[in-house]
Amino acid sequence: AERDGLSAVDAVAHTTPGDGPVSPSAKNTTSHHPDSNGSSSTAMSVVTPPKHTLPSQAQLTPLTYRERPNPGVTLISYNPRNLPTAVQVMEESASRLSPSEREALTSKRGCTIQMHPEATHPTKGFRFMFTPLEKRASCLESRLLEMNEVLMEECGIREEETEEEEAVEEVGLESKVGENRGEKMATWAPVGVPKQNTVTCIGRICNEAHEGKINSTSLLLEGSRQHSSGSRIHLDPTLIPSYSLFPGQIVAVEGINSSGRTLQASRLIEGAAPSLDTSLASELMEFQHGSIKGMNGMPLSIVAMSGPYTTKDNLEYDPLVDAILKISEDKPDVVIMCGPFVDVRQPLVQDERGAIILNEDGEKETATFQQVFAKKVAGILQELYEANTDIKTQFVLVPSVDDAISDSVYPQPPMVDLEVKTKGAAAFGSLGLHAVEMAGRETSTGNRPKRVHCVSNPCTLRINDVTIGVTSSDVLFHISSDETNANLPPGSRLARIAEHLLH
């Protein structure tokens, strides 16, 4: 018998006779097996399933944002200790208070947002692509010398000393090393100097090839100009149990460099973590229980979101509208918004005439990128404060290299709102953020807290006593795309790359 849809995989599966039709090719692939009575039984190969019909064009049409299933559902929640959220704590506290006490509790709580005092990120625009090579090399050198001192102190690495000096400092050194890394490391030596004994070299990881991804055979260790005259030597990591390296990483390597050209590494220290921030007890009490600039005993609530904030088929910013509606309900203390706000990859933004948006009459019109931000982003924030005059939520705006309203450089300066006084139309370059500060307020802001904070990308913030590092760039992706590793535990690669951000 003939049957449509037969193929060469008919002989893959097996079944008993009578379960279905048999293909012609299966008639020659029978095998005989004796049953319990000693007689033989025949097993035959079944045919493949019938061909499936392709879905119709209507089934292939993707759903729009408004047609998405299960909107507002929490997909992932990380709470290993099962602690109550800030919203739950505030709702429980408000349920035990009278309306007047509840209003006084919410009106007297606030938080302080400021740049970290030790941060070196740009605070205003600057001239880029004009930095001379000498200044670039000087910055790389100063960073390497700084990390050289930190690693020597953290790991207890000594410079070469005489036998008498070693005997005097042996006891104190062992106790210091035990507090830090737990094992004594070899003495320090410049990169590129031949040594017959085991030494420790501190330098920057480089790629020998000018193009292509770094690998275990193209690893170079570059020393500082002050100590090693900028020498570069090959780094052989075959004896290291496990490692994860990327270009630009500053490491301490213990090994033997007998020829002065190759360092046979036996131990690797992948950077050192910065010192932890500390706060005075009086500052903590003011932050947590202060009624003027503190939280008045309530928990600190922080929300973070990342752009783009609209779909690729329009510039209506529906996802941002839904997020602001949720913020108006929960009323968090701080909302960190990472760009892009006006995405250069948006098809409606890439038009040579400008961004294409819909006016109040539903007709298409062109607008500048700043006008899109002022109308769609700043306008939504303005409506939030006009509808909720008592809300104390503060917004932190972090630009992106994909933003059409910001310079595509890294590090990236903060966005600037040019409040130009003009008659009639909006000023060119104005982002409309000054209107957000005035929304729902009778006159000028005065001594009231600032609502919108424009910061750089990346930046390090201090929100009350909490230190937060923010960047809109996918740093983990950039490191993983040009990183070499070996013998890592299964499933630990991303965790290992994330550790590089802290070291």
Side-chain angles (χ1 to χ4, degrees), residues 402-433:
D402 294 326
D403 257 318
I405 58 174
S406 302
D407 296 327
S408 184
V409 294
Y410 197 86
Q412 199 170 17
M415 296 182 297
V416 179
D417 185 18
L418 301 177
E419 185 180 357
V420 182
K421 301 296 183 180
T422 58
K423 296 181 180 179
F428 178 81
S430 174
L431 299 179
L433 296 178

PDB file of all heavy atoms in Angstrom, residues 402-433:
ATOM      1  N   ASP A 402      22.681  54.873  23.194  1.00  0.00           N
ATOM      2  CA  ASP A 402      21.705  54.749  22.114  1.00  0.00           C
ATOM      3  C   ASP A 402      20.671  55.864  22.147  1.00  0.00           C
ATOM      4  O   ASP A 402      19.675  55.797  21.419  1.00  0.00           O
ATOM      5  CB  ASP A 402      20.995  53.392  22.194  1.00  0.00           C
ATOM      6  CG  ASP A 402      21.924  52.235  21.923  1.00  0.00           C
ATOM      7  OD1 ASP A 402      22.839  52.394  21.098  1.00  0.00           O
ATOM      8  OD2 ASP A 402      21.755  51.164  22.548  1.00  0.00           O
ATOM      9  N   ASP A 403      20.885  56.885  22.968  1.00  0.00           N
ATOM     10  CA  ASP A 403      19.949  57.997  23.063  1.00  0.00           C
ATOM     11  C   ASP A 403      20.215  59.003  21.946  1.00  0.00           C
ATOM     12  O   ASP A 403      21.371  59.386  21.709  1.00  0.00           O
ATOM     13  CB  ASP A 403      20.069  58.704  24.417  1.00  0.00           C
ATOM     14  CG  ASP A 403      18.944  58.326  25.352  1.00  0.00           C
ATOM     15  OD1 ASP A 403      17.796  58.254  24.893  1.00  0.00           O
ATOM     16  OD2 ASP A 403      19.212  58.108  26.548  1.00  0.00           O
ATOM     17  N   ALA A 404      19.127  59.440  21.304  1.00  0.00           N
ATOM     18  CA  ALA A 404      19.259  60.463  20.269  1.00  0.00           C
ATOM     19  C   ALA A 404      19.421  61.852  20.849  1.00  0.00           C
ATOM     20  O   ALA A 404      19.775  62.787  20.123  1.00  0.00           O
ATOM     21  CB  ALA A 404      18.042  60.430  19.347  1.00  0.00           C
ATOM     22  N   ILE A 405      19.180  62.030  22.139  1.00  0.00           N
ATOM     23  CA  ILE A 405      19.267  63.345  22.767  1.00  0.00           C
ATOM     24  C   ILE A 405      20.553  63.515  23.561  1.00  0.00           C
ATOM     25  O   ILE A 405      20.731  64.530  24.228  1.00  0.00           O
ATOM     26  CB  ILE A 405      18.055  63.572  23.698  1.00  0.00           C
ATOM     27  CG1 ILE A 405      17.985  62.481  24.764  1.00  0.00           C
ATOM     28  CG2 ILE A 405      16.772  63.630  22.899  1.00  0.00           C
ATOM     29  CD1 ILE A 405      16.905  62.704  25.801  1.00  0.00           C
ATOM     30  N   SER A 406      21.463  62.544  23.502  1.00  0.00           N
ATOM     31  CA  SER A 406      22.715  62.603  24.262  1.00  0.00           C
ATOM     32  C   SER A 406      23.878  62.244  23.357  1.00  0.00           C
ATOM     33  O   SER A 406      23.705  61.586  22.325  1.00  0.00           O
ATOM     34  CB  SER A 406      22.671  61.656  25.473  1.00  0.00           C
ATOM     35  OG  SER A 406      21.582  61.966  26.320  1.00  0.00           O
ATOM     36  N   ASP A 407      25.054  62.676  23.753  1.00  0.00           N
ATOM     37  CA  ASP A 407      26.263  62.337  23.010  1.00  0.00           C
ATOM     38  C   ASP A 407      26.581  60.859  23.209  1.00  0.00           C
ATOM     39  O   ASP A 407      26.562  60.349  24.330  1.00  0.00           O
ATOM     40  CB  ASP A 407      27.448  63.188  23.486  1.00  0.00           C
ATOM     41  CG  ASP A 407      27.236  64.670  23.198  1.00  0.00           C
ATOM     42  OD1 ASP A 407      26.597  64.964  22.172  1.00  0.00           O
ATOM     43  OD2 ASP A 407      27.699  65.507  23.995  1.00  0.00           O
ATOM     44  N   SER A 408      26.893  60.183  22.120  1.00  0.00           N
ATOM     45  CA  SER A 408      27.161  58.744  22.171  1.00  0.00           C
ATOM     46  C   SER A 408      28.624  58.503  22.510  1.00  0.00           C
ATOM     47  O   SER A 408      29.438  58.093  21.669  1.00  0.00           O
ATOM     48  CB  SER A 408      26.806  58.087  20.833  1.00  0.00           C
ATOM     49  OG  SER A 408      26.979  56.694  20.892  1.00  0.00           O
ATOM     50  N   VAL A 409      28.991  58.782  23.741  1.00  0.00           N
ATOM     51  CA  VAL A 409      30.340  58.540  24.254  1.00  0.00           C
ATOM     52  C   VAL A 409      30.215  57.822  25.591  1.00  0.00           C
ATOM     53  O   VAL A 409      29.142  57.798  26.201  1.00  0.00           O
ATOM     54  CB  VAL A 409      31.129  59.860  24.423  1.00  0.00           C
ATOM     55  CG1 VAL A 409      31.383  60.510  23.071  1.00  0.00           C
ATOM     56  CG2 VAL A 409      30.394  60.810  25.352  1.00  0.00           C
ATOM     57  N   TYR A 410      31.320  57.248  26.033  1.00  0.00           N
ATOM     58  CA  TYR A 410      31.330  56.560  27.328  1.00  0.00           C
ATOM     59  C   TYR A 410      32.671  56.816  28.000  1.00  0.00           C
ATOM     60  O   TYR A 410      33.708  56.526  27.404  1.00  0.00           O
ATOM     61  CB  TYR A 410      31.133  55.059  27.130  1.00  0.00           C
ATOM     62  CG  TYR A 410      30.731  54.318  28.394  1.00  0.00           C
ATOM     63  CD1 TYR A 410      29.401  54.236  28.775  1.00  0.00           C
ATOM     64  CD2 TYR A 410      31.688  53.719  29.188  1.00  0.00           C
ATOM     65  CE1 TYR A 410      29.035  53.549  29.920  1.00  0.00           C
ATOM     66  CE2 TYR A 410      31.328  53.043  30.342  1.00  0.00           C
ATOM     67  CZ  TYR A 410      29.997  52.959  30.694  1.00  0.00           C
ATOM     68  OH  TYR A 410      29.628  52.289  31.835  1.00  0.00           O
ATOM     69  N   PRO A 411      32.680  57.396  29.210  1.00  0.00           N
ATOM     70  CA  PRO A 411      31.538  57.797  30.040  1.00  0.00           C
ATOM     71  C   PRO A 411      30.747  58.942  29.408  1.00  0.00           C
ATOM     72  O   PRO A 411      31.277  59.721  28.626  1.00  0.00           O
ATOM     73  CB  PRO A 411      32.169  58.204  31.357  1.00  0.00           C
ATOM     74  CG  PRO A 411      33.605  58.451  31.062  1.00  0.00           C
ATOM     75  CD  PRO A 411      33.961  57.648  29.876  1.00  0.00           C
ATOM     76  N   GLN A 412      29.488  59.002  29.784  1.00  0.00           N
ATOM     77  CA  GLN A 412      28.531  59.892  29.151  1.00  0.00           C
ATOM     78  C   GLN A 412      28.107  60.984  30.126  1.00  0.00           C
ATOM     79  O   GLN A 412      27.727  60.690  31.265  1.00  0.00           O
ATOM     80  CB  GLN A 412      27.319  59.080  28.695  1.00  0.00           C
ATOM     81  CG  GLN A 412      26.448  59.733  27.663  1.00  0.00           C
ATOM     82  CD  GLN A 412      25.427  58.742  27.122  1.00  0.00           C
ATOM     83  OE1 GLN A 412      25.168  57.698  27.711  1.00  0.00           O
ATOM     84  NE2 GLN A 412      24.826  59.076  25.992  1.00  0.00           N
ATOM     85  N   PRO A 413      28.176  62.243  29.712  1.00  0.00           N
ATOM     86  CA  PRO A 413      27.752  63.313  30.635  1.00  0.00           C
ATOM     87  C   PRO A 413      26.243  63.284  30.851  1.00  0.00           C
ATOM     88  O   PRO A 413      25.495  62.717  30.043  1.00  0.00           O
ATOM     89  CB  PRO A 413      28.192  64.589  29.896  1.00  0.00           C
ATOM     90  CG  PRO A 413      28.218  64.210  28.456  1.00  0.00           C
ATOM     91  CD  PRO A 413      28.624  62.763  28.417  1.00  0.00           C
ATOM     92  N   PRO A 414      25.769  63.896  31.913  1.00  0.00           N
ATOM     93  CA  PRO A 414      24.325  63.916  32.166  1.00  0.00           C
ATOM     94  C   PRO A 414      23.581  64.758  31.135  1.00  0.00           C
ATOM     95  O   PRO A 414      24.159  65.632  30.477  1.00  0.00           O
ATOM     96  CB  PRO A 414      24.212  64.502  33.575  1.00  0.00           C
ATOM     97  CG  PRO A 414      25.476  65.269  33.773  1.00  0.00           C
ATOM     98  CD  PRO A 414      26.523  64.557  33.000  1.00  0.00           C
ATOM     99  N   MET A 415      22.292  64.481  30.985  1.00  0.00           N
ATOM    100  CA  MET A 415      21.458  65.265  30.083  1.00  0.00           C
ATOM    101  C   MET A 415      21.283  66.684  30.626  1.00  0.00           C
ATOM    102  O   MET A 415      21.256  66.894  31.840  1.00  0.00           O
ATOM    103  CB  MET A 415      20.094  64.595  29.910  1.00  0.00           C
ATOM    104  CG  MET A 415      20.159  63.243  29.241  1.00  0.00           C
ATOM    105  SD  MET A 415      18.527  62.506  28.984  1.00  0.00           S
ATOM    106  CE  MET A 415      17.970  62.323  30.672  1.00  0.00           C
ATOM    107  N   VAL A 416      21.187  67.635  29.705  1.00  0.00           N
ATOM    108  CA  VAL A 416      21.073  69.051  30.068  1.00  0.00           C
ATOM    109  C   VAL A 416      19.764  69.586  29.518  1.00  0.00           C
ATOM    110  O   VAL A 416      19.451  69.414  28.332  1.00  0.00           O
ATOM    111  CB  VAL A 416      22.263  69.865  29.519  1.00  0.00           C
ATOM    112  CG1 VAL A 416      22.111  71.340  29.890  1.00  0.00           C
ATOM    113  CG2 VAL A 416      23.573  69.310  30.056  1.00  0.00           C
ATOM    114  N   ASP A 417      18.995  70.245  30.377  1.00  0.00           N
ATOM    115  CA  ASP A 417      17.733  70.858  29.977  1.00  0.00           C
ATOM    116  C   ASP A 417      17.983  72.342  29.732  1.00  0.00           C
ATOM    117  O   ASP A 417      18.200  73.110  30.673  1.00  0.00           O
ATOM    118  CB  ASP A 417      16.679  70.651  31.066  1.00  0.00           C
ATOM    119  CG  ASP A 417      15.316  71.173  30.648  1.00  0.00           C
ATOM    120  OD1 ASP A 417      15.118  71.372  29.433  1.00  0.00           O
ATOM    121  OD2 ASP A 417      14.456  71.380  31.521  1.00  0.00           O
ATOM    122  N   LEU A 418      17.968  72.743  28.476  1.00  0.00           N
ATOM    123  CA  LEU A 418      18.214  74.135  28.120  1.00  0.00           C
ATOM    124  C   LEU A 418      16.895  74.894  28.176  1.00  0.00           C
ATOM    125  O   LEU A 418      16.064  74.812  27.264  1.00  0.00           O
ATOM    126  CB  LEU A 418      18.821  74.230  26.718  1.00  0.00           C
ATOM    127  CG  LEU A 418      20.151  73.484  26.522  1.00  0.00           C
ATOM    128  CD1 LEU A 418      20.607  73.602  25.079  1.00  0.00           C
ATOM    129  CD2 LEU A 418      21.208  74.017  27.463  1.00  0.00           C
ATOM    130  N   GLU A 419      16.691  75.609  29.259  1.00  0.00           N
ATOM    131  CA  GLU A 419      15.455  76.380  29.432  1.00  0.00           C
ATOM    132  C   GLU A 419      15.639  77.744  28.776  1.00  0.00           C
ATOM    133  O   GLU A 419      16.115  78.704  29.384  1.00  0.00           O
ATOM    134  CB  GLU A 419      15.121  76.529  30.914  1.00  0.00           C
ATOM    135  CG  GLU A 419      13.785  77.210  31.160  1.00  0.00           C
ATOM    136  CD  GLU A 419      13.490  77.344  32.630  1.00  0.00           C
ATOM    137  OE1 GLU A 419      14.286  76.861  33.449  1.00  0.00           O
ATOM    138  OE2 GLU A 419      12.444  77.948  32.961  1.00  0.00           O
ATOM    139  N   VAL A 420      15.288  77.823  27.501  1.00  0.00           N
ATOM    140  CA  VAL A 420      15.439  79.050  26.723  1.00  0.00           C
ATOM    141  C   VAL A 420      14.081  79.743  26.643  1.00  0.00           C
ATOM    142  O   VAL A 420      13.075  79.121  26.297  1.00  0.00           O
ATOM    143  CB  VAL A 420      15.984  78.744  25.313  1.00  0.00           C
ATOM    144  CG1 VAL A 420      16.173  80.032  24.526  1.00  0.00           C
ATOM    145  CG2 VAL A 420      17.291  77.980  25.417  1.00  0.00           C
ATOM    146  N   LYS A 421      14.063  81.017  26.951  1.00  0.00           N
ATOM    147  CA  LYS A 421      12.821  81.781  26.911  1.00  0.00           C
ATOM    148  C   LYS A 421      12.499  82.154  25.462  1.00  0.00           C
ATOM    149  O   LYS A 421      13.244  82.878  24.804  1.00  0.00           O
ATOM    150  CB  LYS A 421      12.947  83.053  27.756  1.00  0.00           C
ATOM    151  CG  LYS A 421      13.273  82.799  29.224  1.00  0.00           C
ATOM    152  CD  LYS A 421      12.147  82.039  29.923  1.00  0.00           C
ATOM    153  CE  LYS A 421      12.456  81.852  31.402  1.00  0.00           C
ATOM    154  NZ  LYS A 421      11.379  81.126  32.109  1.00  0.00           N
ATOM    155  N   THR A 422      11.409  81.630  24.948  1.00  0.00           N
ATOM    156  CA  THR A 422      10.966  81.942  23.589  1.00  0.00           C
ATOM    157  C   THR A 422       9.468  82.235  23.598  1.00  0.00           C
ATOM    158  O   THR A 422       8.758  81.892  24.542  1.00  0.00           O
ATOM    159  CB  THR A 422      11.243  80.769  22.633  1.00  0.00           C
ATOM    160  OG1 THR A 422      10.566  79.604  23.121  1.00  0.00           O
ATOM    161  CG2 THR A 422      12.736  80.474  22.532  1.00  0.00           C
ATOM    162  N   LYS A 423       8.997  82.833  22.537  1.00  0.00           N
ATOM    163  CA  LYS A 423       7.581  83.129  22.378  1.00  0.00           C
ATOM    164  C   LYS A 423       6.949  82.089  21.481  1.00  0.00           C
ATOM    165  O   LYS A 423       7.446  81.812  20.400  1.00  0.00           O
ATOM    166  CB  LYS A 423       7.395  84.516  21.774  1.00  0.00           C
ATOM    167  CG  LYS A 423       7.896  85.650  22.662  1.00  0.00           C
ATOM    168  CD  LYS A 423       7.649  86.987  21.997  1.00  0.00           C
ATOM    169  CE  LYS A 423       8.147  88.130  22.890  1.00  0.00           C
ATOM    170  NZ  LYS A 423       7.919  89.457  22.237  1.00  0.00           N
ATOM    171  N   GLY A 424       5.870  81.523  21.917  1.00  0.00           N
ATOM    172  CA  GLY A 424       5.140  80.572  21.087  1.00  0.00           C
ATOM    173  C   GLY A 424       5.680  79.170  21.228  1.00  0.00           C
ATOM    174  O   GLY A 424       5.502  78.513  22.253  1.00  0.00           O
ATOM    175  N   ALA A 425       6.389  78.657  20.199  1.00  0.00           N
ATOM    176  CA  ALA A 425       6.831  77.264  20.150  1.00  0.00           C
ATOM    177  C   ALA A 425       7.862  76.991  21.234  1.00  0.00           C
ATOM    178  O   ALA A 425       8.496  77.901  21.784  1.00  0.00           O
ATOM    179  CB  ALA A 425       7.411  76.947  18.772  1.00  0.00           C
ATOM    180  N   ALA A 426       8.024  75.688  21.519  1.00  0.00           N
ATOM    181  CA  ALA A 426       8.995  75.273  22.529  1.00  0.00           C
ATOM    182  C   ALA A 426      10.405  75.570  22.053  1.00  0.00           C
ATOM    183  O   ALA A 426      10.697  75.559  20.853  1.00  0.00           O
ATOM    184  CB  ALA A 426       8.837  73.781  22.814  1.00  0.00           C
ATOM    185  N   ALA A 427      11.286  75.853  22.985  1.00  0.00           N
ATOM    186  CA  ALA A 427      12.658  76.203  22.639  1.00  0.00           C
ATOM    187  C   ALA A 427      13.398  74.991  22.120  1.00  0.00           C
ATOM    188  O   ALA A 427      13.204  73.874  22.585  1.00  0.00           O
ATOM    189  CB  ALA A 427      13.365  76.777  23.861  1.00  0.00           C
ATOM    190  N   PHE A 428      14.282  75.205  21.145  1.00  0.00           N
ATOM    191  CA  PHE A 428      15.083  74.117  20.615  1.00  0.00           C
ATOM    192  C   PHE A 428      16.100  73.681  21.671  1.00  0.00           C
ATOM    193  O   PHE A 428      16.818  74.510  22.239  1.00  0.00           O
ATOM    194  CB  PHE A 428      15.813  74.570  19.347  1.00  0.00           C
ATOM    195  CG  PHE A 428      16.697  73.507  18.758  1.00  0.00           C
ATOM    196  CD1 PHE A 428      16.156  72.515  17.958  1.00  0.00           C
ATOM    197  CD2 PHE A 428      18.054  73.479  19.023  1.00  0.00           C
ATOM    198  CE1 PHE A 428      16.956  71.533  17.413  1.00  0.00           C
ATOM    199  CE2 PHE A 428      18.861  72.506  18.488  1.00  0.00           C
ATOM    200  CZ  PHE A 428      18.314  71.529  17.680  1.00  0.00           C
ATOM    201  N   GLY A 429      16.142  72.395  21.949  1.00  0.00           N
ATOM    202  CA  GLY A 429      17.067  71.878  22.945  1.00  0.00           C
ATOM    203  C   GLY A 429      16.462  71.724  24.319  1.00  0.00           C
ATOM    204  O   GLY A 429      17.072  71.130  25.194  1.00  0.00           O
ATOM    205  N   SER A 430      15.271  72.231  24.548  1.00  0.00           N
ATOM    206  CA  SER A 430      14.636  72.109  25.848  1.00  0.00           C
ATOM    207  C   SER A 430      14.061  70.712  26.017  1.00  0.00           C
ATOM    208  O   SER A 430      13.362  70.197  25.142  1.00  0.00           O
ATOM    209  CB  SER A 430      13.522  73.157  26.001  1.00  0.00           C
ATOM    210  OG  SER A 430      12.828  72.952  27.211  1.00  0.00           O
ATOM    211  N   LEU A 431      14.335  70.082  27.154  1.00  0.00           N
ATOM    212  CA  LEU A 431      13.822  68.747  27.464  1.00  0.00           C
ATOM    213  C   LEU A 431      12.544  68.786  28.282  1.00  0.00           C
ATOM    214  O   LEU A 431      11.970  67.743  28.570  1.00  0.00           O
ATOM    215  CB  LEU A 431      14.889  67.939  28.206  1.00  0.00           C
ATOM    216  CG  LEU A 431      16.204  67.701  27.456  1.00  0.00           C
ATOM    217  CD1 LEU A 431      17.173  66.894  28.327  1.00  0.00           C
ATOM    218  CD2 LEU A 431      15.957  66.984  26.142  1.00  0.00           C
ATOM    219  N   GLY A 432      12.120  69.961  28.692  1.00  0.00           N
ATOM    220  CA  GLY A 432      10.879  70.080  29.442  1.00  0.00           C
ATOM    221  C   GLY A 432      10.964  69.654  30.888  1.00  0.00           C
ATOM    222  O   GLY A 432       9.935  69.520  31.547  1.00  0.00           O
ATOM    223  N   LEU A 433      12.157  69.454  31.419  1.00  0.00           N
ATOM    224  CA  LEU A 433      12.283  69.003  32.802  1.00  0.00           C
ATOM    225  C   LEU A 433      11.974  70.118  33.794  1.00  0.00           C
ATOM    226  O   LEU A 433      11.593  69.842  34.939  1.00  0.00           O
ATOM    227  CB  LEU A 433      13.689  68.451  33.047  1.00  0.00           C
ATOM    228  CG  LEU A 433      14.059  67.202  32.234  1.00  0.00           C
ATOM    229  CD1 LEU A 433      15.493  66.778  32.527  1.00  0.00           C
ATOM    230  CD2 LEU A 433      13.104  66.054  32.534  1.00  0.00           C
TER     231      LEU A 433
END
